[in-house]
Amino acid sequence: MTSLLSSAIVIVALGLWPAMFQEWEDKTLDARFGLRQHLSSDSRLILIDCDDTSVAQLGRWPWDRAVHALMVEILASAGAKAVAFDIVFSIPSSTSDLRLMKAMTDAKNVYLPIGLELHPPLQHTEVDTAALERAQKMLTDLLGNEGLPWKVSKDDTSLLVTGRLFMPEADLAAAARGVGHIASNRDPDGVIRRVPLVVRVHDRLLPAFSLRVAMGVLDVPSDHISVVPGEYVELRGVQGGVQRRTRIPIDARGQMLVNYVGKWTQTFLPQYGFSEVLALAATPEGRREINSRFKGATVLILTTATGFDLKPTPVDVAAPGGIIHANALNTILTERWLRSPSYFQACLWAILLGLVAAVVVSGRSWKVALAGVVGSVAVYWGLAFFLFQGLGVVMPIIAPLMAFLLTVVVVPVHEQTAVRVRLAFLERQMHETESALVSSRQQLESHDRNFDTAIDQARQLREKAAESNERVHEAEARFRALDEALQKAHIERDRLVSQVEDLEQRLQDFKPVVMTQKVALSENDEALRAECEAHGIITGDRRMIEVFHTIKKVAPASSAVLLMGETGTGKELVARALHALSPRAQGPFVAVNMAAITETLAESELFGHVRGSFTGAHADTKGRFEQADQGTLFLDEIGELSADLQSKLLRVLQTGEVDRVGGSTPRKVDVRIIAATNRNLEDEVRTKRFRDDLYYRLNVVQIILPPLRERPGDIERLAERFLRELAAKTGKAFMGFSEKAIHMLRRQEWRGNVRDLRNAVERAVVMAEGTLISDTDLGLVSSAEPAARAIAVPQDGGDISGDGAFLVIMRELSFEIDGVAERLGLSRGTVASRLKGICFQALVSHDARIADAAADVAGTKDPLVEAKVREYYDNLMEAARQFPSADVAVLECRRRFKNLPQRYFPSVENLIRRGFSVSAP
């Protein structure tokens, strides 16, 4: 179904823009002509060239008509079947025209051309209509019905129309056996691939020069010709055979696709020069050769001398105009037609290739799919070329391949959409989690209503007990039972809250995080960021963009550059960007990891060696410096160089010459040096482990690359890019990262920087079973995880061992509620309630002394924490004083502080009762 949709899109486009598709198809036709070997031409067709040699011997063009008359006489005497001049004799010559007319009249087989302009049938209004009619009337008067043998029918309205004329001299035209036009309708790109076999002249049809000659050669009279635009020109009774018919395929404009036999200089051989034929006729041996070669032949006389009209064809950039008519005439005589596909055929092929594409890529791995795509395209192209070469069938290329490639793109997209169906278990889990979350929230709401009702009942019981001293013991017993029920209800509420939060966290694992650029960049910085990405440097960080700005300033120079940065920060990418942006971009870029080369081979690796310089040196070998000549040499881990090699490298940098190991002749090299290290070379220089003079040579321009942990905004951007690349490489489909996975990535320190991040994403791609990368797929261990486990809210209300670990994180993040929540993966409300409960416990421990309690919570004197503890205490006391008694206040505060875990509520009750006892008279 998907393949049919893709094919339908292409078919509609083909119907809407046929000219555009035809132009592209013509380019593929030219490619097929270029790949095909030269064809043999009709043995009856011989070319006589008015070439440079003939011009040199017979004088400047145009020649005296007597020369042409002599040629007609020679060919007529030899028994030529037809003599066709691709020369318009338009200027009268009183001295020679009579002889040429007599020769033509005697021969009765000479054909002359008419030059004319062509106009599309629907564009008459764009030309001078009056001039057009005058030209057509002149042609009608000159040729008569015999020269214009066919009347225009209602089906001929799509044919091309004649415009301005270039006529042969009237008497010569009258003496000719026939005339035809030599106009060639160029395609939009200027190449001549088609010849209009018939064109409209007023209400008559004029044949092409090649068709008129073919009619004479094949002995087909004009009344044995039928023209059906868009289908064929039919010749009946070919060479006297009553039943023999030849149908020449034409398009709606009456044009025949010319089957070019090959480059004009290598086909229609042997070709004769005009002066060569005249010279042969002057000797008996030559006349015998002429009689032997030209008897029964169709002779085309054309001009190929330098400076004459040249036209582009599918096989020649510039070919003489007569060669086009020679190929058109050869196409008719040999009946090797080229048949262009119809719209219907192009649609069928588009549908077929769409189906093939669906089979090739559906459910395949990317390697198999790629091999199938390449193989299918190769097979189709091979079939198209075979049919073109063997049968003259011009199969459509563009529309079918567009349908094929569109299907190749659409089918995987469709299958990725269908992944949701195939991963029903994952979908079901998500929906079940969502349902459980809704149910838990409803339970929590119902529990809160019951909780409030119980508090109201307890309050009423207290108030009644205070009003009457009767049955006090019974009321106290009921109140204690109700208070125990409230405590259990509070614990149950804590459990429900924890369950809701847990379900919300689980739901995050099913939903991808939409990556967004967090830092707004200026227009100039955004342009630099895009340019960075083009060089493989993925960033949105201002520091990295500033680094790239420095790269662009430094790149045009040849100065040495020293790249400083931790392992995995992208030093080689920066080096490649420096090379690509420099004038040396067309030269080689050679990278050498100095830490990976053994000390014994380092000198040979860098400077090369001569044959026999050491064991195993079987041939002269260029070193990395010579390989990088006229380019860039990237020396990674330059701090690993030995002292001896540092000296030799310094000499090369000073002199620009290298000495191969075992050699005696220095070799000049022009190399730009880019060095990189993760060491502090200044410390290395101070401790004498690195030469100071070499350091100064390398440190002309220093670029420091920030580690990934100092540009946290790039973590998500890089992770998304790596996921996209690795998913395409492995053939897996991913929607993105879960929210927990993103939190995990943000919490890492990435000591290995970008390389470390890529490895983590690659591991996740390999391990993931669904379409979403989860935190467990990443396999990373966050430094906050042990603390998060330690401070998990206990559900039994008794264990408070986690408060110390919780306070460690709070102190580390300066008691920022949002920061702690993000670090621990908890909600903000949970963190705030936990901190409030710890503060209430501290106040009870220090007899409500706020300063001491705050110091206990903060671990030191902290005005911010002291203000927060004071705020919590004041709010509690203010809420409690609204009620007449401590018992009622405790009940109402249980309602107001119901989000506070139950294990902290005894401290709240203690503070309330302490407050009432202090204020009592």
Side-chain angles (χ1 to χ4, degrees), residues 791-819:
I791 66 169
V793 179
Q795 298 181 5
D796 58 6
D799 182 15
I800 59 171
S801 61
D803 286 347
F806 178 83
L807 286 176
V808 169
I809 304 297
M810 292 294 298
R811 292 164 184 168
E812 181 183 338
L813 298 179
S814 302
F815 289 85
E816 284 288 337
I817 302 295
D818 291 331

PDB file of all heavy atoms in Angstrom, residues 791-819:
ATOM      1  N   ILE A 791      17.956   7.894  51.226  1.00  0.00           N
ATOM      2  CA  ILE A 791      16.964   8.823  51.752  1.00  0.00           C
ATOM      3  C   ILE A 791      15.575   8.494  51.278  1.00  0.00           C
ATOM      4  O   ILE A 791      14.664   9.299  51.414  1.00  0.00           O
ATOM      5  CB  ILE A 791      17.309  10.266  51.334  1.00  0.00           C
ATOM      6  CG1 ILE A 791      17.188  10.387  49.816  1.00  0.00           C
ATOM      7  CG2 ILE A 791      18.685  10.669  51.789  1.00  0.00           C
ATOM      8  CD1 ILE A 791      17.248  11.806  49.361  1.00  0.00           C
ATOM      9  N   ALA A 792      15.377   7.307  50.699  1.00  0.00           N
ATOM     10  CA  ALA A 792      14.022   6.916  50.291  1.00  0.00           C
ATOM     11  C   ALA A 792      13.098   6.989  51.501  1.00  0.00           C
ATOM     12  O   ALA A 792      13.425   6.543  52.592  1.00  0.00           O
ATOM     13  CB  ALA A 792      14.028   5.505  49.725  1.00  0.00           C
ATOM     14  N   VAL A 793      11.904   7.580  51.309  1.00  0.00           N
ATOM     15  CA  VAL A 793      10.991   7.790  52.434  1.00  0.00           C
ATOM     16  C   VAL A 793      10.509   6.458  52.954  1.00  0.00           C
ATOM     17  O   VAL A 793       9.874   5.695  52.227  1.00  0.00           O
ATOM     18  CB  VAL A 793       9.788   8.650  51.980  1.00  0.00           C
ATOM     19  CG1 VAL A 793       8.819   8.844  53.145  1.00  0.00           C
ATOM     20  CG2 VAL A 793      10.277   9.992  51.467  1.00  0.00           C
ATOM     21  N   PRO A 794      10.781   6.108  54.213  1.00  0.00           N
ATOM     22  CA  PRO A 794      10.288   4.838  54.743  1.00  0.00           C
ATOM     23  C   PRO A 794       8.780   4.868  54.892  1.00  0.00           C
ATOM     24  O   PRO A 794       8.209   5.893  55.219  1.00  0.00           O
ATOM     25  CB  PRO A 794      10.978   4.716  56.097  1.00  0.00           C
ATOM     26  CG  PRO A 794      11.561   6.042  56.405  1.00  0.00           C
ATOM     27  CD  PRO A 794      11.589   6.855  55.174  1.00  0.00           C
ATOM     28  N   GLN A 795       8.153   3.724  54.597  1.00  0.00           N
ATOM     29  CA  GLN A 795       6.702   3.666  54.620  1.00  0.00           C
ATOM     30  C   GLN A 795       6.154   3.199  55.970  1.00  0.00           C
ATOM     31  O   GLN A 795       4.963   3.258  56.209  1.00  0.00           O
ATOM     32  CB  GLN A 795       6.199   2.740  53.503  1.00  0.00           C
ATOM     33  CG  GLN A 795       6.583   3.253  52.142  1.00  0.00           C
ATOM     34  CD  GLN A 795       6.062   2.350  51.035  1.00  0.00           C
ATOM     35  OE1 GLN A 795       5.342   1.404  51.303  1.00  0.00           O
ATOM     36  NE2 GLN A 795       6.433   2.648  49.813  1.00  0.00           N
ATOM     37  N   ASP A 796       7.015   2.721  56.868  1.00  0.00           N
ATOM     38  CA  ASP A 796       6.518   2.263  58.166  1.00  0.00           C
ATOM     39  C   ASP A 796       6.563   3.357  59.216  1.00  0.00           C
ATOM     40  O   ASP A 796       6.132   3.181  60.339  1.00  0.00           O
ATOM     41  CB  ASP A 796       7.323   1.051  58.638  1.00  0.00           C
ATOM     42  CG  ASP A 796       8.814   1.354  58.742  1.00  0.00           C
ATOM     43  OD1 ASP A 796       9.200   2.542  58.552  1.00  0.00           O
ATOM     44  OD2 ASP A 796       9.581   0.414  59.024  1.00  0.00           O
ATOM     45  N   GLY A 797       7.161   4.493  58.838  1.00  0.00           N
ATOM     46  CA  GLY A 797       7.183   5.637  59.735  1.00  0.00           C
ATOM     47  C   GLY A 797       8.208   5.564  60.827  1.00  0.00           C
ATOM     48  O   GLY A 797       8.334   6.471  61.618  1.00  0.00           O
ATOM     49  N   GLY A 798       9.010   4.477  60.916  1.00  0.00           N
ATOM     50  CA  GLY A 798       9.912   4.364  62.043  1.00  0.00           C
ATOM     51  C   GLY A 798      11.365   4.638  61.744  1.00  0.00           C
ATOM     52  O   GLY A 798      12.092   5.068  62.617  1.00  0.00           O
ATOM     53  N   ASP A 799      11.816   4.379  60.545  1.00  0.00           N
ATOM     54  CA  ASP A 799      13.237   4.477  60.234  1.00  0.00           C
ATOM     55  C   ASP A 799      13.557   5.861  59.691  1.00  0.00           C
ATOM     56  O   ASP A 799      13.019   6.286  58.679  1.00  0.00           O
ATOM     57  CB  ASP A 799      13.619   3.413  59.214  1.00  0.00           C
ATOM     58  CG  ASP A 799      15.103   3.451  58.887  1.00  0.00           C
ATOM     59  OD1 ASP A 799      15.875   4.089  59.627  1.00  0.00           O
ATOM     60  OD2 ASP A 799      15.474   2.842  57.869  1.00  0.00           O
ATOM     61  N   ILE A 800      14.446   6.557  60.365  1.00  0.00           N
ATOM     62  CA  ILE A 800      14.833   7.889  59.883  1.00  0.00           C
ATOM     63  C   ILE A 800      16.321   7.933  59.570  1.00  0.00           C
ATOM     64  O   ILE A 800      16.933   8.985  59.558  1.00  0.00           O
ATOM     65  CB  ILE A 800      14.481   8.975  60.926  1.00  0.00           C
ATOM     66  CG1 ILE A 800      15.215   8.694  62.262  1.00  0.00           C
ATOM     67  CG2 ILE A 800      12.985   9.043  61.161  1.00  0.00           C
ATOM     68  CD1 ILE A 800      15.099   9.821  63.249  1.00  0.00           C
ATOM     69  N   SER A 801      16.916   6.763  59.305  1.00  0.00           N
ATOM     70  CA  SER A 801      18.358   6.708  59.079  1.00  0.00           C
ATOM     71  C   SER A 801      18.777   7.438  57.814  1.00  0.00           C
ATOM     72  O   SER A 801      19.940   7.757  57.647  1.00  0.00           O
ATOM     73  CB  SER A 801      18.808   5.248  59.005  1.00  0.00           C
ATOM     74  OG  SER A 801      18.155   4.594  57.916  1.00  0.00           O
ATOM     75  N   GLY A 802      17.802   7.712  56.917  1.00  0.00           N
ATOM     76  CA  GLY A 802      18.160   8.354  55.657  1.00  0.00           C
ATOM     77  C   GLY A 802      18.286   9.853  55.743  1.00  0.00           C
ATOM     78  O   GLY A 802      18.703  10.495  54.788  1.00  0.00           O
ATOM     79  N   ASP A 803      17.904  10.482  56.870  1.00  0.00           N
ATOM     80  CA  ASP A 803      17.919  11.938  56.938  1.00  0.00           C
ATOM     81  C   ASP A 803      19.325  12.516  56.824  1.00  0.00           C
ATOM     82  O   ASP A 803      19.524  13.601  56.268  1.00  0.00           O
ATOM     83  CB  ASP A 803      17.287  12.408  58.261  1.00  0.00           C
ATOM     84  CG  ASP A 803      15.766  12.238  58.242  1.00  0.00           C
ATOM     85  OD1 ASP A 803      15.237  11.998  57.132  1.00  0.00           O
ATOM     86  OD2 ASP A 803      15.131  12.350  59.302  1.00  0.00           O
ATOM     87  N   GLY A 804      20.308  11.802  57.330  1.00  0.00           N
ATOM     88  CA  GLY A 804      21.683  12.305  57.234  1.00  0.00           C
ATOM     89  C   GLY A 804      22.152  12.387  55.790  1.00  0.00           C
ATOM     90  O   GLY A 804      22.749  13.383  55.371  1.00  0.00           O
ATOM     91  N   ALA A 805      21.896  11.324  54.999  1.00  0.00           N
ATOM     92  CA  ALA A 805      22.288  11.343  53.589  1.00  0.00           C
ATOM     93  C   ALA A 805      21.537  12.425  52.828  1.00  0.00           C
ATOM     94  O   ALA A 805      22.092  13.088  51.943  1.00  0.00           O
ATOM     95  CB  ALA A 805      22.026   9.975  52.963  1.00  0.00           C
ATOM     96  N   PHE A 806      20.249  12.594  53.201  1.00  0.00           N
ATOM     97  CA  PHE A 806      19.451  13.642  52.563  1.00  0.00           C
ATOM     98  C   PHE A 806      20.063  15.016  52.814  1.00  0.00           C
ATOM     99  O   PHE A 806      20.168  15.861  51.913  1.00  0.00           O
ATOM    100  CB  PHE A 806      18.017  13.568  53.096  1.00  0.00           C
ATOM    101  CG  PHE A 806      17.102  14.624  52.555  1.00  0.00           C
ATOM    102  CD1 PHE A 806      16.486  14.472  51.327  1.00  0.00           C
ATOM    103  CD2 PHE A 806      16.846  15.781  53.283  1.00  0.00           C
ATOM    104  CE1 PHE A 806      15.637  15.448  50.830  1.00  0.00           C
ATOM    105  CE2 PHE A 806      16.005  16.759  52.794  1.00  0.00           C
ATOM    106  CZ  PHE A 806      15.395  16.592  51.567  1.00  0.00           C
ATOM    107  N   LEU A 807      20.469  15.255  54.075  1.00  0.00           N
ATOM    108  CA  LEU A 807      21.050  16.558  54.425  1.00  0.00           C
ATOM    109  C   LEU A 807      22.393  16.789  53.727  1.00  0.00           C
ATOM    110  O   LEU A 807      22.755  17.932  53.427  1.00  0.00           O
ATOM    111  CB  LEU A 807      21.212  16.670  55.942  1.00  0.00           C
ATOM    112  CG  LEU A 807      19.908  16.884  56.726  1.00  0.00           C
ATOM    113  CD1 LEU A 807      20.173  16.881  58.227  1.00  0.00           C
ATOM    114  CD2 LEU A 807      19.245  18.193  56.304  1.00  0.00           C
ATOM    115  N   VAL A 808      23.122  15.697  53.450  1.00  0.00           N
ATOM    116  CA  VAL A 808      24.395  15.858  52.720  1.00  0.00           C
ATOM    117  C   VAL A 808      24.141  16.489  51.353  1.00  0.00           C
ATOM    118  O   VAL A 808      24.830  17.421  50.932  1.00  0.00           O
ATOM    119  CB  VAL A 808      25.103  14.489  52.562  1.00  0.00           C
ATOM    120  CG1 VAL A 808      26.265  14.607  51.588  1.00  0.00           C
ATOM    121  CG2 VAL A 808      25.600  14.005  53.923  1.00  0.00           C
ATOM    122  N   ILE A 809      23.123  15.960  50.648  1.00  0.00           N
ATOM    123  CA  ILE A 809      22.786  16.504  49.337  1.00  0.00           C
ATOM    124  C   ILE A 809      22.254  17.925  49.466  1.00  0.00           C
ATOM    125  O   ILE A 809      22.597  18.810  48.668  1.00  0.00           O
ATOM    126  CB  ILE A 809      21.753  15.605  48.617  1.00  0.00           C
ATOM    127  CG1 ILE A 809      22.269  14.171  48.512  1.00  0.00           C
ATOM    128  CG2 ILE A 809      21.421  16.149  47.240  1.00  0.00           C
ATOM    129  CD1 ILE A 809      23.519  14.046  47.694  1.00  0.00           C
ATOM    130  N   MET A 810      21.398  18.184  50.470  1.00  0.00           N
ATOM    131  CA  MET A 810      20.853  19.532  50.668  1.00  0.00           C
ATOM    132  C   MET A 810      21.968  20.542  50.905  1.00  0.00           C
ATOM    133  O   MET A 810      21.966  21.642  50.344  1.00  0.00           O
ATOM    134  CB  MET A 810      19.892  19.536  51.863  1.00  0.00           C
ATOM    135  CG  MET A 810      18.598  18.756  51.670  1.00  0.00           C
ATOM    136  SD  MET A 810      17.509  19.462  50.411  1.00  0.00           S
ATOM    137  CE  MET A 810      17.147  21.063  51.087  1.00  0.00           C
ATOM    138  N   ARG A 811      22.931  20.178  51.761  1.00  0.00           N
ATOM    139  CA  ARG A 811      24.039  21.099  52.040  1.00  0.00           C
ATOM    140  C   ARG A 811      24.910  21.301  50.812  1.00  0.00           C
ATOM    141  O   ARG A 811      25.375  22.416  50.548  1.00  0.00           O
ATOM    142  CB  ARG A 811      24.876  20.550  53.203  1.00  0.00           C
ATOM    143  CG  ARG A 811      24.145  20.553  54.539  1.00  0.00           C
ATOM    144  CD  ARG A 811      24.825  19.663  55.550  1.00  0.00           C
ATOM    145  NE  ARG A 811      24.082  19.576  56.812  1.00  0.00           N
ATOM    146  CZ  ARG A 811      24.338  18.703  57.758  1.00  0.00           C
ATOM    147  NH1 ARG A 811      25.317  17.800  57.598  1.00  0.00           N
ATOM    148  NH2 ARG A 811      23.618  18.703  58.868  1.00  0.00           N
ATOM    149  N   GLU A 812      25.135  20.218  50.037  1.00  0.00           N
ATOM    150  CA  GLU A 812      25.969  20.326  48.826  1.00  0.00           C
ATOM    151  C   GLU A 812      25.363  21.303  47.819  1.00  0.00           C
ATOM    152  O   GLU A 812      26.089  22.046  47.148  1.00  0.00           O
ATOM    153  CB  GLU A 812      26.121  18.942  48.185  1.00  0.00           C
ATOM    154  CG  GLU A 812      26.991  18.939  46.927  1.00  0.00           C
ATOM    155  CD  GLU A 812      27.045  17.560  46.285  1.00  0.00           C
ATOM    156  OE1 GLU A 812      26.794  16.557  47.000  1.00  0.00           O
ATOM    157  OE2 GLU A 812      27.336  17.493  45.086  1.00  0.00           O
ATOM    158  N   LEU A 813      24.035  21.317  47.758  1.00  0.00           N
ATOM    159  CA  LEU A 813      23.349  22.174  46.792  1.00  0.00           C
ATOM    160  C   LEU A 813      22.762  23.419  47.434  1.00  0.00           C
ATOM    161  O   LEU A 813      21.852  24.051  46.852  1.00  0.00           O
ATOM    162  CB  LEU A 813      22.248  21.388  46.075  1.00  0.00           C
ATOM    163  CG  LEU A 813      22.721  20.185  45.239  1.00  0.00           C
ATOM    164  CD1 LEU A 813      21.544  19.472  44.603  1.00  0.00           C
ATOM    165  CD2 LEU A 813      23.708  20.622  44.166  1.00  0.00           C
ATOM    166  N   SER A 814      23.281  23.773  48.610  1.00  0.00           N
ATOM    167  CA  SER A 814      22.909  25.023  49.289  1.00  0.00           C
ATOM    168  C   SER A 814      21.407  25.131  49.529  1.00  0.00           C
ATOM    169  O   SER A 814      20.823  26.207  49.434  1.00  0.00           O
ATOM    170  CB  SER A 814      23.395  26.236  48.470  1.00  0.00           C
ATOM    171  OG  SER A 814      24.782  26.183  48.275  1.00  0.00           O
ATOM    172  N   PHE A 815      20.786  23.987  49.830  1.00  0.00           N
ATOM    173  CA  PHE A 815      19.368  23.934  50.191  1.00  0.00           C
ATOM    174  C   PHE A 815      18.455  24.467  49.085  1.00  0.00           C
ATOM    175  O   PHE A 815      17.376  24.992  49.360  1.00  0.00           O
ATOM    176  CB  PHE A 815      19.114  24.689  51.515  1.00  0.00           C
ATOM    177  CG  PHE A 815      19.663  23.955  52.707  1.00  0.00           C
ATOM    178  CD1 PHE A 815      20.996  24.110  53.089  1.00  0.00           C
ATOM    179  CD2 PHE A 815      18.869  23.095  53.443  1.00  0.00           C
ATOM    180  CE1 PHE A 815      21.510  23.418  54.172  1.00  0.00           C
ATOM    181  CE2 PHE A 815      19.383  22.401  54.533  1.00  0.00           C
ATOM    182  CZ  PHE A 815      20.716  22.554  54.899  1.00  0.00           C
ATOM    183  N   GLU A 816      18.896  24.302  47.826  1.00  0.00           N
ATOM    184  CA  GLU A 816      18.053  24.653  46.682  1.00  0.00           C
ATOM    185  C   GLU A 816      17.091  23.491  46.417  1.00  0.00           C
ATOM    186  O   GLU A 816      17.502  22.408  46.000  1.00  0.00           O
ATOM    187  CB  GLU A 816      18.916  24.904  45.442  1.00  0.00           C
ATOM    188  CG  GLU A 816      19.638  26.233  45.439  1.00  0.00           C
ATOM    189  CD  GLU A 816      18.674  27.399  45.217  1.00  0.00           C
ATOM    190  OE1 GLU A 816      17.582  27.164  44.655  1.00  0.00           O
ATOM    191  OE2 GLU A 816      19.015  28.519  45.621  1.00  0.00           O
ATOM    192  N   ILE A 817      15.799  23.721  46.701  1.00  0.00           N
ATOM    193  CA  ILE A 817      14.803  22.643  46.618  1.00  0.00           C
ATOM    194  C   ILE A 817      14.764  22.046  45.207  1.00  0.00           C
ATOM    195  O   ILE A 817      14.763  20.821  45.030  1.00  0.00           O
ATOM    196  CB  ILE A 817      13.408  23.169  47.014  1.00  0.00           C
ATOM    197  CG1 ILE A 817      13.438  23.755  48.419  1.00  0.00           C
ATOM    198  CG2 ILE A 817      12.373  22.058  46.899  1.00  0.00           C
ATOM    199  CD1 ILE A 817      13.714  22.764  49.493  1.00  0.00           C
ATOM    200  N   ASP A 818      14.715  22.907  44.179  1.00  0.00           N
ATOM    201  CA  ASP A 818      14.613  22.420  42.790  1.00  0.00           C
ATOM    202  C   ASP A 818      15.846  21.610  42.394  1.00  0.00           C
ATOM    203  O   ASP A 818      15.737  20.570  41.736  1.00  0.00           O
ATOM    204  CB  ASP A 818      14.431  23.594  41.828  1.00  0.00           C
ATOM    205  CG  ASP A 818      13.072  24.257  41.985  1.00  0.00           C
ATOM    206  OD1 ASP A 818      12.124  23.545  42.383  1.00  0.00           O
ATOM    207  OD2 ASP A 818      12.954  25.469  41.718  1.00  0.00           O
ATOM    208  N   GLY A 819      17.026  22.085  42.804  1.00  0.00           N
ATOM    209  CA  GLY A 819      18.255  21.376  42.460  1.00  0.00           C
ATOM    210  C   GLY A 819      18.317  20.005  43.098  1.00  0.00           C
ATOM    211  O   GLY A 819      18.721  19.018  42.469  1.00  0.00           O
TER     212      GLY A 819
END
